[in-house]
Amino acid sequence: MKMDAHIFIDNYNVIAGAQEAAKIRENAPWPAVRIHWRNFFKLVEGDYSPITRMFAGSLPPGNEALWQYAKDHGYDTSLLQRVVREDGRSGEQAVDEVLHAKIAGALLDFDAPQALVMVTGDGQAGEFGTSFLQQAERALRRGWNIDIWSWEAQLSGNFKNLAGRNSDKMKIFLFDRFYEAITFLREGEFHHGDGNLIRISERRVSALPVGTSR
């Protein structure tokens, strides 16, 4: 019998990690990098029976199709506009805190055995003192199972330490192993980090490995 699961995705960590991985693996500039969301959702949901699906992030222009795709696949989307900070740079507004609150609500509303799937590598406390790590600790105290999905470069050591102390209940999975099955490259000319134009050939997504599950 499949275990019920509550899935929470931090879009920023997914995108940033994929762009960093593409730069290292293929010398690809970030505008060419795309996530294959169908494979991505299939991967993180695994063989669970999802009860909660939450997909959160800010809404840059031109990204509306992604949010609609997530909605069509059963994900509740929290769309938060980017804000201009005091230093003039734009940034997200309370996206992490929305996810923290939603996770805490699920932990109160449902009883173990349940699975908490957090797609983020961020193990640091946010501006208002809450964190994904805090929610993981709460889930463990309540007897939940926990899956953390992250790119290796994005994964906080705090999660590694917590998983090491709770290996029977908490697992860490890295997207890097599935890089070619959850990302693809768009063909075109893009500015590289040095300012020069670089020509990128199309790379199509590969199939997920057969039998991919927990």
Side-chain angles (χ1 to χ4, degrees), residues 158-174:
N158 291 332
F159 280 133
K160 295 179 182 179
N161 293 335
L162 186 62
R165 299 194 302 270
N166 299 275
S167 58
D168 59 327
K169 286 288 187 180
M170 182 173 177
K171 306 297 181 185
I172 292 175
F173 301 92
L174 298 177

Side-chain angles (χ1 to χ4, degrees), residues 10-86:
D10 178 357
N11 179 51
Y12 174 79
N13 267 255
V14 173
I15 299 297
Q19 292 171 350
E20 182 65 22
K23 181 172 66 175
I24 294 172
R25 289 171 177 251
E26 304 183 80
N27 196 32
W30 68 265
V33 183
R34 296 291 185 271
I35 301 292
H36 191 278
W37 292 104
R38 182 175 61 187
N39 281 0
F40 179 88
F41 290 144
K42 183 178 180 180
L43 181 63
V44 299
E45 291 179 12
D47 53 6
Y48 287 130
S49 177
I51 302 300
T52 303
R53 292 182 175 98
M54 185 78 186
F55 188 90
S58 57
L59 183 60
N63 214 25
E64 292 81 358
L66 163 58
W67 301 109
Q68 189 59 52
Y69 186 86
K71 287 181 180 180
D72 292 344
H73 283 71
Y75 281 83
D76 178 15
T77 58
S78 286
L79 306 183
L80 298 173
Q81 299 294 333
R82 297 184 73 84
V83 296
V84 178
R85 305 186 187 279
E86 292 182 359

Side-chain angles (χ1 to χ4, degrees), residues 3-199:
M3 179 177 287
D4 291 344
H6 305 264
I7 301 170
F8 299 87
I9 299 174
D10 178 357
N11 179 51
Y12 174 79
N13 267 255
V14 173
I15 299 297
Q19 292 171 350
E20 182 65 22
K23 181 172 66 175
I24 294 172
R25 289 171 177 251
E26 304 183 80
N27 196 32
W30 68 265
V33 183
R34 296 291 185 271
I35 301 292
H36 191 278
W37 292 104
R38 182 175 61 187
N39 281 0
F40 179 88
F41 290 144
K42 183 178 180 180
L43 181 63
V44 299
E45 291 179 12
D47 53 6
Y48 287 130
S49 177
I51 302 300
T52 303
R53 292 182 175 98
M54 185 78 186
F55 188 90
S58 57
L59 183 60
N63 214 25
E64 292 81 358
L66 163 58
W67 301 109
Q68 189 59 52
Y69 186 86
K71 287 181 180 180
D72 292 344
H73 283 71
Y75 281 83
D76 178 15
T77 58
S78 286
L79 306 183
L80 298 173
Q81 299 294 333
R82 297 184 73 84
V83 296
V84 178
R85 305 186 187 279
E86 292 182 359
D87 61 5
R89 295 183 299 175
S90 66
E92 292 184 333
Q93 183 182 31
V95 171
D96 287 353
E97 285 73 17
V98 168
L99 283 174
H100 301 162
K102 295 288 187 178
I103 294 169
L107 295 177
L108 289 173
D109 291 341
F110 298 90
D111 297 322
Q114 304 273 324
L116 172 61
V117 181
M118 294 194 296
V119 183
T120 181
D122 184 0
Q124 305 300 319
E127 182 180 355
F128 302 102
T130 62
S131 68
F132 292 106
L133 183 70
Q134 180 186 60
Q135 311 317 315
E137 292 169 339
R138 287 173 171 169
L140 289 169
R141 289 196 297 269
R142 288 164 172 78
W144 285 49
N145 290 355
I146 301 175
D147 288 355
I148 301 293
W149 279 94
S150 175
W151 294 96
E152 185 172 12
Q154 305 289 106
L155 181 62
S156 168
N158 291 332
F159 280 133
K160 295 179 182 179
N161 293 335
L162 186 62
R165 299 194 302 270
N166 299 275
S167 58
D168 59 327
K169 286 288 187 180
M170 182 173 177
K171 306 297 181 185
I172 292 175
F173 301 92
L174 298 177
F175 288 126
D176 304 71
R177 175 187 168 194
F178 304 98
Y179 172 76
E180 292 185 348
I182 60 173
T183 69
F184 61 97
L185 299 182
R186 183 166 64 92
E187 182 180 11
E189 290 188 341
F190 304 93
H191 285 284
H192 213 287
D194 57 9
N196 293 322
L197 280 176
I198 181 172
R199 179 72 185 178

